Amino acid sequence: MKFRHICGTPAMLFVIPGLASICPAADANRADAQRPTIFVANYQHITAYPAGSHGDVSPIAIDSDMSSPRGLARDSIGRLYVANSATNTVTVYAAGANGNVPPLAVIGGPETRLTPPAGIALDASDNIYVLNYYELNYASSPAITVYGPLANNATGFLDTAPLAVIAGSRTLLRTPLAIAADLNRNIYVADGSGGPLVRYAPDGIGRILIYAAGSNGNVAPSATISGFRSGIVVPDGVAVDSDGDIYVANEATLQGRKLSYQSGSVTIYAPGSKGDAAPAATIAGAGTELVEPEAITLDSSRNIYVSSYVNNVGLAVNLYAAGSNGNAAPLATIGGSNTGLGYPAALAVDSDDNIYSLNSDLGPLHTDGINVYPSGSSGDVAPSVTITSNFTGLGASSGIAVDNSGKIYVPDINGGDAGLGSVSIYPAGSYGIGPPLATITGSDTQLSYPSAIGLDPSGEIAVLKIISSISTHRAAWVTQHQTEPSRSIPSGTTSPPQSRSITGAGSTSQIRSTVK
Amino acid sequence: MNPGDVAVYPAGNVGTPRPSAVIAGAETAISNPSGVAVDDSGRIYVANQGPRSWLQNYNCFTFGPGNISVYQPGSTGDAKPISIINGSNTEIGVPLGLTVDSSGNIYVLNESRECEGESIRSSPTLTTLIVWIFGGAPVPPILVFAAGSDGDVAPVATIGGPFTALSGFSAIALGPPTP
């Protein structure tokens, strides 16, 4: 299918290093011409909105970094697709990509209706199925958006309306967590709500929703699988093999009528299963090393790969032989400090059985990226390939300020090599996307977990730093840095409003706010 | 419990100087301040997250409802605000920060009232705090109030929703007009 550039015509697309799309506000009126642009520091990215913005508006510029990724898929020519929940994008990486690389293409923009993507699957024809939902996002309503295959030579920012949108009350989508598609283009969703109600699960323990190929609009699923007999308990992952067998990673188990997160399971259903169907096989028990399993995928031999917490190892990827049933031990476990596994939010396997694990910022490493482990990997092995795509350098932004020239200053509470913090300065007009002009970091700076920033007209940067601990915010003082030696504002222009606020990060509020 | 204060330091000081003014006391209505801004006339705007309370049913702490209090230039001590923006019409939940433009319009970064602390669900894999949104509709993340707003006033504009790509936000600022 044909995607178009995001601003309507390619001539309006501005591209800067790191692949940023910056589109002038189409509806900016004259009254807003001298009013300020609104900048917000989000966890890993900056968003900006034109003056006069109101309602559910897209930001002026779209970040192409991998940012809070939740879904991973691989197409027939080896490109990798990542669903980025923070930036409402799907970033597409070249087959064989390695290192800190920009995406080949970015699917994103108002036409795509990505809001925000929480999972992704491709069918055998490379049609793209995106699950849109993030439980912590403001007023997010779940939806499945479907797009046609990406052209083999697709590059740049791509915007298009989806071919189909499955959303609405009849769909039964409530808290969808994972998506898969079979050879016949039926769509499978693991939803954390619905199904039986038990203690600690007032919205139900979850179910599998199945939509017929070609579904569009507010349509009911063609089948659902849920119930005590089915063994579905907080389903976090779903996969389908070439025969249509359905594999579900269940994050929890039931102890009587109570949820327990001390163990999980993989349940496998015959094609066409529905209702409270008993699974054809269940991988569960102490020997399986399944604790809160989440992502699940299959290789061409139907071996089963599951991300899980493993006792004495930590977060890991377990491999189970095809046909496993009962208290089956994994054939292999990839886990340990050398693996670089963060929080494996999604898995994929290629035709050579190389294993792709999507690191999500949810995990202890707070890093986004894709790790690739060669076929046959087991134990505490380093990945053969690590793909990151972070050009802003932001990991945990904690404040924002903009000077008169439009340069953007963003402290990162854990930035810098020592993790004690940094301040990145982005060019005017960049909207905080792409690489910074400069980064202040290092022991001489005295930065210590910077939690807020302010500028004064002389160009000095005031940073509120935390000297006791990240958790309390009670002890803080101001450290100052001199920025550029001089600045100039063209004569005849009106000096824009100066941001003079210093704000604290997070909701721990015993901060002693400071005004320069 | 100290509800918080606003300390003002003279320009040019570094390290640990003594503040030249501290706005604190019962009359100030300052309550867990999260941000402060100053307009061109020197008025001081404070984002207050509001009281911290324990929600038995959710097994967690929360802040709010919050408000915005405004002080005369040069205020110090137990100064009474010249205006307070608060009430249900304001849509203020728990403000995280604020800034003011040259016309005195107030831009508030706003968060829904959420649980903070121990989750009702213990998880061996998630090290990040699990936050449970409770009760009612989420509030818009960005609220814009007209200059001089006071009392239970509605914002003149709000920005929020799934298309905005606002997530995990921590701070707000203003920059030059969009070209």
Side-chain angles (χ1 to χ4, degrees):
Chain A
M1 87 172 297
K2 187 176 180 182
F3 286 80
R4 69 175 176 80
H5 284 292
I6 205 163
C7 297
T9 64
M12 294 177 68
L13 180 73
F14 299 81
V15 177
I16 63 172
L19 259 183
S21 166
I22 301 169
C23 307
D27 56 353
N29 58 42
R30 289 185 181 180
D32 294 327
Q34 293 303 315
R35 290 168 61 188
T37 303
I38 303 165
F39 289 82
V40 176
N42 299 279
Y43 189 60
Q44 291 181 319
H45 69 293
I46 305 303
T47 51
Y49 308 91
S53 292
H54 183 55
D56 190 4
V57 295
S58 293
I60 298 169
I62 294 175
D63 194 337
S64 65
D65 280 1
M66 197 184 301
S67 191
S68 300
R70 298 289 182 269
L72 172 68
R74 189 176 172 279
D75 72 11
S76 57
I77 61 171
R79 293 176 298 191
L80 296 167
Y81 297 62
V82 174
N84 300 289
S85 68
T87 47
N88 288 351
T89 63
V90 172
T91 47
V92 184
Y93 302 93
N98 193 4
N100 189 26
V101 295
L104 280 177
V106 180
I107 302 171
E111 294 294 321
T112 65
R113 298 183 64 176
L114 293 170
T115 57
I120 188 169
L122 269 58
D123 66 20
S125 302
D126 291 339
N127 291 300
I128 305 163
Y129 304 83
V130 179
L131 195 58
N132 295 275
Y133 178 72
Y134 183 44
E135 62 183 322
L136 300 185
N137 190 273
Y138 169 81
S140 176
S141 299
I144 299 166
T145 48
V146 184
Y147 310 88
L150 214 60
N152 286 355
N153 60 353
T155 58
F157 277 88
L158 309 169
D159 189 14
T160 190
L163 298 176
V165 178
I166 302 171
S169 59
R170 297 187 66 194
T171 66
L172 305 183
L173 289 166
R174 288 168 64 184
T175 54
L177 301 167
I179 188 168
D182 68 16
L183 284 178
N184 297 317
R185 302 185 181 179
N186 298 303
I187 305 165
Y188 301 76
V189 172
D191 194 300
S193 297
L197 309 182
V198 303
R199 190 175 180 188
Y200 297 142
D203 295 327
I205 59 175
R207 58 190 165 191
I208 301 299
L209 306 172
I210 304 169
Y211 302 92
S215 291
N216 192 10
N218 186 11
V219 297
S222 59
T224 64
I225 305 174
S226 69
F228 291 118
R229 190 161 168 256
S230 73
I232 288 176
V233 186
V234 193
D236 258 4
V238 62
V240 190
D241 68 19
S242 54
D243 283 343
D245 297 301
I246 307 158
Y247 298 69
V248 179
N250 297 288
E251 189 178 350
T253 54
L254 286 175
Q255 307 292 329
R257 289 292 188 264
K258 288 176 59 178
L259 276 184
S260 169
Y261 287 91
Q262 302 308 308
S263 61
S265 72
V266 172
T267 48
I268 304 163
Y269 305 87
S273 293
K274 62 183 179 181
D276 195 4
T282 299
I283 304 172
T288 65
E289 299 287 1
L290 287 171
V291 178
E292 291 201 42
E294 178 163 322
I296 186 168
T297 194
L298 309 169
D299 65 20
S300 56
S301 302
R302 303 183 186 181
N303 295 306
I304 307 162
Y305 301 75
V306 184
S307 69
S308 176
Y309 181 85
V310 172
N311 290 320
N312 302 317
V313 174
L315 291 161
V317 177
N318 286 341
L319 166 62
Y320 301 90
S324 289
N325 192 10
N327 190 17
L331 294 175
T333 292
I334 302 171
S337 58
N338 292 325
T339 65
L341 282 172
Y343 185 83
L347 298 171
V349 179
D350 66 19
S351 56
D352 294 325
D353 295 343
N354 297 305
I355 305 156
Y356 299 72
S357 175
L358 182 68
N359 270 348
S360 155
D361 61 298
L362 290 174
L365 300 180
H366 296 290
T367 53
D368 297 337
I370 301 169
N371 287 343
V372 184
Y373 305 92
S375 173
S377 292
S378 184
D380 191 6
V381 296
S384 57
V385 169
T386 297
I387 304 169
T388 58
S389 193
N390 182 346
F391 291 90
T392 64
L394 292 175
S397 63
S398 51
I400 189 166
V402 184
D403 71 14
N404 284 342
S405 72
K407 290 193 189 76
I408 304 155
Y409 300 71
V410 183
D412 188 321
I413 201 164
N414 294 326
D417 292 338
L420 291 175
S422 62
V423 176
S424 294
I425 305 169
Y426 298 91
S430 70
Y431 299 101
I433 291 172
L437 287 171
T439 300
I440 301 170
T441 188
S443 58
D444 289 346
T445 67
Q446 296 189 42
L447 286 171
S448 174
Y449 306 117
S451 63
I453 189 168
L455 303 173
D456 75 12
S458 70
E460 283 196 335
I461 309 167
V463 179
L464 196 64
K465 68 180 185 178
I466 300 169
I467 57 173
S468 58
S469 73
I470 296 176
S471 60
T472 65
H473 287 205
R474 289 190 181 189
W477 66 47
V478 170
T479 184
Q480 291 178 312
H481 300 276
Q482 187 72 38
T483 183
E484 294 76 23
S486 64
R487 293 176 305 171
S488 62
I489 300 174
S491 60
T493 62
T494 302
S495 179
Q498 175 81 18
S499 173
R500 298 176 66 191
S501 66
I502 296 180
T503 56
S507 57
T508 310
S509 67
Q510 296 300 315
I511 189 167
R512 188 176 169 91
S513 298
T514 305
V515 181
K516 262 180 64 62
Chain B
M1 177 179 161
N2 178 9
D5 55 50
V6 172
V8 183
Y9 297 89
N13 283 272
V14 296
T16 54
R18 292 179 63 83
S20 57
V22 174
I23 303 173
E27 289 293 319
T28 66
I30 290 174
S31 177
N32 293 310
S34 58
V36 63
V38 183
D39 70 14
D40 288 349
S41 69
R43 288 191 198 92
I44 302 162
Y45 299 73
V46 178
N48 297 291
Q49 296 195 326
R52 186 172 186 249
S53 53
W54 172 255
L55 296 173
Q56 186 67 42
N57 290 344
Y58 294 89
N59 198 33
C60 62
F61 285 101
T62 188
F63 289 95
N67 62 62
I68 307 300
S69 54
V70 186
Y71 304 87
Q72 291 281 19
S75 290
T76 189
D78 195 4
K80 195 171 183 178
I82 54 175
S83 61
I84 298 181
I85 304 172
N86 68 348
S88 58
N89 289 327
T90 67
E91 299 193 62
I92 295 172
V94 180
L96 299 180
L98 82 171
T99 189
V100 184
D101 70 17
S102 58
S103 301
N105 299 304
I106 307 158
Y107 301 72
V108 178
L109 193 61
N110 191 34
E111 190 176 55
S112 297
R113 297 183 67 194
E114 298 170 342
C115 285
E116 173 196 282
E118 293 298 321
S119 167
I120 58 174
R121 173 182 133 185
S122 64
S123 165
T125 58
L126 286 178
T127 57
T128 51
L129 184 71
I130 299 172
V131 179
W132 297 83
I133 297 173
F134 67 92
V139 295
I142 299 172
L143 307 173
V144 185
F145 294 96
S149 290
D150 189 15
D152 190 8
V153 296
V156 293
T158 65
I159 302 174
F163 284 103
T164 61
L166 289 163
S167 63
F169 40 83
S170 60
I172 188 169
L174 301 176
T178 307

